[in-house]
């Protein structure tokens, strides 16, 4: 059997140096993780977006550690090559360093993920340092940070003036100094990510941040056309799976009602 070369932070850094773009997607279960891994995705984020796209929650704030852990275990089983990153849910790291270390450790120890993601900089830099210090790779997340939705009030684009741009640059530099292996930048005006990228050495991945980043991430349900509730401008739908699934289901219902299914081929002799 051929040995799989697993994606590591070192490989990602090399890809950035070689100006090769990096592709990330979210995943929340085993079958999608299997397909993403086979397709060649480098990083699978088990995002807390799971709350909205798989559990029907209003926001990501209701997602629990247990829900994330279950999902991470399933994704880990499917991803042999891709790096699997667990998104730390709301209040699993904000209160203090020891809670952050304990929960990051759960993701690595129980679900065997390769790293964790935390939102924000400022007071979160201490949490990030503490987690990095115990040997767990951390991904940062700046720009629009959904766990601060109550503070921001709505889903807004960031980096619309020079003060906001400076803050994003300072936050990215501070995250790099705290030891993150990469940073996600979400929902910023075009051109802002280029300015941020120039100031840091770790890979910068964009979502709604234009085409200047070292790589891109999308929520898998959005790009597959599986989440009807909310579609941000930056999402490109690469498939309309909900239509395909609905057609398949209607066909099944019709065949059941007409007594056409199961036929001989699908019955035991
Ligand atoms: O939870 C998530 O899916 C995320 C991405 C949108 C970056 O944080």
């Amino acid at each position: 059997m051929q040995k799989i070369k697993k994606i590591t932070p070192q490989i990602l850094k090399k890809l950035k140096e070689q100006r090769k773009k990096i592709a990330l997607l979210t995943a929340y279960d085993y079958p999608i993780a299997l397909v993403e891994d086979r397709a060649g995705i480098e990083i699978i984020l088990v995002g807390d977006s799971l709350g909205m796209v798989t559990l029907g929650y209003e926001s990501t704030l209701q997602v629990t550690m247990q829900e994330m852990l279950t999902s991470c275990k399933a994704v880990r089983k499917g991803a042999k090559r891709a790096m699997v990153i667990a998104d730390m849910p709301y209040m699993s790291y904000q209160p203090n360093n020891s809670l952050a270390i304990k929960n990051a450790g759960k993701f690595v120890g129980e679900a065997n993920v390769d790293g964790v993601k935390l939102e924000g900089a400022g007071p979160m830099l201490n949490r990030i340092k503490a987690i990095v210090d115990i040997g767990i790779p951390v991904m940062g997340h700046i720009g629009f940070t959904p766990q601060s939705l109550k503070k921001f009030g709505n889903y807004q684009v960031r980096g619309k003036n020079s003060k906001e741009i400076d803050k994003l640059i300072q936050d990215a530099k501070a995250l790099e100094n705290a030891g993150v292996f990469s940073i996600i930048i979400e929902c910023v005006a075009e051109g802002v990510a280029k300015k941020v990228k120039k100031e840091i050495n770790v890979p910068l991945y964009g979502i709604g941040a234009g085409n200047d980043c070292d790589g891109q991430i999308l929520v898998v349900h959005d790009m597959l056309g599986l989440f009807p509730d909310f579609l941000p401008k930056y999402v490109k739908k690469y498939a309309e799976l909900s239509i395909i699934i609905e057609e398949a289901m209607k066909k099944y219902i019709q065949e059941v009602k007409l007594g056409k299914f199961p036929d001989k081929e699908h019955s035991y002799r």
Side-chain angles (χ1 to χ4, degrees), residues 167-226:
K167 170 89 170 70
L168 284 166
I169 293 172
Q170 292 322 314
D171 283 352
K173 282 180 163 178
L175 285 172
E176 182 171 23
N177 284 334
V180 299
F181 74 94
S182 57
I183 300 172
I184 286 183
I185 185 163
E186 179 166 354
C187 273
V188 294
E190 237 190 333
V192 173
K194 193 173 186 174
K195 292 184 179 158
V196 173
K197 194 175 104 173
K198 239 175 63 189
E199 301 289 335
I200 56 173
N201 297 304
V202 292
L204 183 70
Y205 310 122
I207 175 161
N211 201 10
D212 296 311
C213 299
D214 299 299
Q216 295 291 326
I217 178 161
L218 281 177
V219 170
V220 70
H221 285 56
D222 289 343
M223 60 87 76
L224 292 179
L226 270 176

Side-chain angles (χ1 to χ4, degrees), residues 26 28 45-50 60 87 117 119 141 146 184 186 207 217-219 234:
T26 66
Y28 317 98
L45 172 70
V46 185
D48 60 358
S49 48
L50 137 151
T60 59
D87 207 2
K117 175 169 85 62
E119 290 185 10
H141 185 160
I184 286 183
E186 179 166 354
I207 175 161
I217 178 161
L218 281 177
V219 170
Y234 59 76

